[in-house]
Amino acid sequence: QVQVVESGGGLVQAGDSLRLSCATSGRTGSSYAMGWFRQAPGKEREFVAHISGSAVITDYEDSVKGRFIISRDNAKNTVFLQMNSLKPEDTAVYYCAAYSGRSTSSTPTYWGQGTQVTVSS
């Protein structure tokens, strides 16, 4: 069984930065792609960013490109989301997901409980 645990959320002001962490257990760190998703109140969960198992491939949702950076430390089975220049519209519960394979084209399968990010204007 794979466990996924997010941390690092909080309340910040517009323009601030925040780094989310996602720790996984139950399998080898580099075996699977990982992704971040978010869900704002009243909205569907949406893709934010993902990274391949080898960290060679990353991809971002258009509204966060140039502001967010996804990275991973496979030795520590941890994925990070560095969020810079935060905007009020980034306010959401952020979820980390472990994919079913090494490729980012595989399916997000194991989900964490989410961490709240609130950006005040």
Side-chain angles (χ1 to χ4, degrees):
Q1 183 68 20
V2 177
Q3 285 79 44
V4 179
V5 179
E6 306 96 335
S7 61
L11 172 63
V12 297
Q13 294 186 330
D16 285 352
S17 297
L18 204 59
R19 189 174 84 155
L20 304 182
S21 298
C22 172
T24 63
S25 61
R27 66 183 187 189
T28 306
S30 63
S31 299
Y32 299 89
M34 298 289 297
W36 287 97
F37 297 76
R38 66 186 180 186
Q39 187 168 19
K43 296 187 176 180
E44 297 287 322
R45 185 176 300 187
E46 67 174 1
F47 165 77
V48 176
H50 58 199
I51 185 168
S52 63
S54 62
V56 170
I57 296 173
T58 59
D59 194 18
Y60 300 88
E61 192 270 330
D62 284 347
S63 70
V64 308
K65 284 181 180 177
R67 299 189 299 122
F68 290 11
I69 301 171
I70 189 170
S71 61
R72 66 191 299 160
D73 183 340
N74 287 336
K76 297 182 178 180
N77 294 338
T78 303
V79 175
F80 305 97
L81 186 68
Q82 178 67 43
M83 304 186 294
N84 302 317
S85 303
L86 282 161
K87 304 175 181 180
E89 51 264 44
D90 294 319
T91 295
V93 177
Y94 283 71
Y95 296 90
C96 179
Y99 287 38
S100 59
R102 291 179 59 86
S103 169
T104 53
S105 61
S106 58
T107 303
T109 304
Y110 304 98
W111 293 86
Q113 81 289 347
T115 185
Q116 177 71 46
V117 172
T118 303
V119 185
S120 64
S121 57

